[in-house]
Amino acid sequence: MGYIKAMFLLGLVAFLYGFAEYRHKSRKISEVNIEFLEDENLYVTEEAVNKLLIQNNLELTSIDKETLDLNRVEILLKNHDMIENAEVYLNLDGKLKADISQRKPIGRVVGNSSFYLDKNGKVMPLSPYYSARVPLLFGFDDDNVSEVYPLVNYIKNDKFLTQHITGIRRLNGGKFELEMRKLDFSVYFGKVEEIPLKFNNFKVFYKKALKDDKLDAYKKVNLQFGNQVVCTKK
C-alpha cells in the first residue's frame, strides 16, 4: 500500500512538473530587449532591428517560447550589414534579450562609390543613421580598398595620427599620400611598408618643426625613404 502511494505521489509530481514546464514554454514572450554593447554610435537602431525581425515573420512577442528558434534569430541579426555579432537568449522573466555588437568603420571611401572600410578590412555600407568620423579614402573601389587597410588600421590605433590625418589618397604604383588636418602640406607616404618607422620619423619631424615654428614653411613632406624625412619648402 505504501509502495503504491509513493508511486502515485511520484507520478503526480512528474505530471505537475511537466504541466508547469509546458505552461512555461507555451507562454508568450513578454518583452524584447535589444542592447547595443559598448558606448558606441548607432549605425543600426533598435527600431530597424525590430523592423527586420517583423519583415522575416518574427514578431517575437506573439511567439511562444517553445516555438521560438533562438539560433534563427541570431543568424538573421548577424547577416545584417551593420551587425558584427549578436547573442540572443531568454531570461527567467520571459523576456528575450539580444546583445548586439556593431561593425566598426575605420575609413570611408568617397568617389564614384561610397562605403566604409571596417576594422576587419571588409567593405561596409554607409548607414542612414550615423556618419563616422574616420579618414576619407580617395581613389579606391571594392577591388583595391584592401591595399590601404594596413595603413588605416595603424592610424586608428594611434591617437596622434588619428588627430592629424584626415584623408588618404591612392596614387599610381600602389603608393599613397596623406592629407592633414589644419596643416598646409601633404605627406607622401609611398608604399604601404615600414609603417611604424615612417610614422615615427614623421612624429619626430612634426615635434621639431612645431617647436621651431616651421610647420607652415613646407608644402610637402616625403616619408617614402623610410629612414629619413625629406621636406620641400614653399
Side-chain angles (χ1 to χ4, degrees), residues 22-39:
Y22 170 78
R23 287 288 302 274
H24 176 72
K25 288 182 177 180
S26 62
R27 288 177 59 188
K28 303 295 183 184
I29 295 169
S30 62
E31 184 180 330
V32 178
N33 187 345
I34 296 169
E35 182 177 349
F36 294 95
L37 303 181
E38 304 177 14
D39 185 16

Side-chain angles (χ1 to χ4, degrees), residues 15-158:
F15 169 78
L16 292 175
Y17 177 81
F19 181 74
E21 183 71 9
Y22 170 78
R23 287 288 302 274
H24 176 72
K25 288 182 177 180
S26 62
R27 288 177 59 188
K28 303 295 183 184
I29 295 169
S30 62
E31 184 180 330
V32 178
N33 187 345
I34 296 169
E35 182 177 349
F36 294 95
L37 303 181
E38 304 177 14
D39 185 16
E40 52 191 20
N41 300 303
L42 294 183
Y43 301 102
V44 58
T45 63
E46 182 175 345
E47 181 182 357
V49 171
N50 282 322
K51 185 177 180 181
L52 172 68
L53 296 174
I54 293 171
Q55 287 174 341
N56 285 270
N57 298 318
L58 284 172
E59 197 166 357
L60 298 178
T61 53
S62 65
I63 299 175
D64 60 59
K65 297 176 184 179
E66 189 172 21
T67 305
L68 179 64
D69 185 346
L70 295 177
N71 188 53
R72 181 190 170 197
V73 179
E74 282 192 355
I75 291 173
L76 181 64
L77 293 176
K78 289 177 183 178
N79 285 337
H80 191 282
D81 286 335
M82 300 297 170
I83 294 175
E84 181 173 338
N85 191 42
E87 293 185 5
V88 180
Y89 54 93
L90 284 167
N91 64 20
L92 296 177
D93 298 327
K95 298 178 181 178
L96 183 135
K97 284 204 65 178
D99 293 338
I100 294 175
S101 298
Q102 298 180 101
R103 296 174 68 186
K104 296 177 177 60
I106 60 174
R108 176 172 177 168
V109 172
V110 293
N112 293 331
S113 58
S114 295
F115 55 86
Y116 288 125
L117 180 68
D118 78 2
K119 69 173 187 176
N120 297 313
K122 297 180 180 179
V123 170
M124 172 182 172
L126 302 182
S127 167
Y129 306 105
Y130 184 80
S131 295
R133 295 185 63 183
V134 292
L136 300 179
L137 309 177
F138 303 95
F140 296 92
D141 55 34
D142 293 21
D143 297 327
N144 62 29
V145 71
S146 60
E147 297 174 5
V148 78
Y149 172 70
L151 190 56
V152 183
N153 191 51
Y154 190 92
I155 291 170
K156 84 168 177 65
N157 290 315
D158 187 291

Side-chain angles (χ1 to χ4, degrees), residues 163-174:
Q163 180 181 352
H164 290 286
I165 297 175
T166 60
I168 302 174
R169 191 172 297 275
R170 185 177 186 268
L171 308 176
N172 293 331

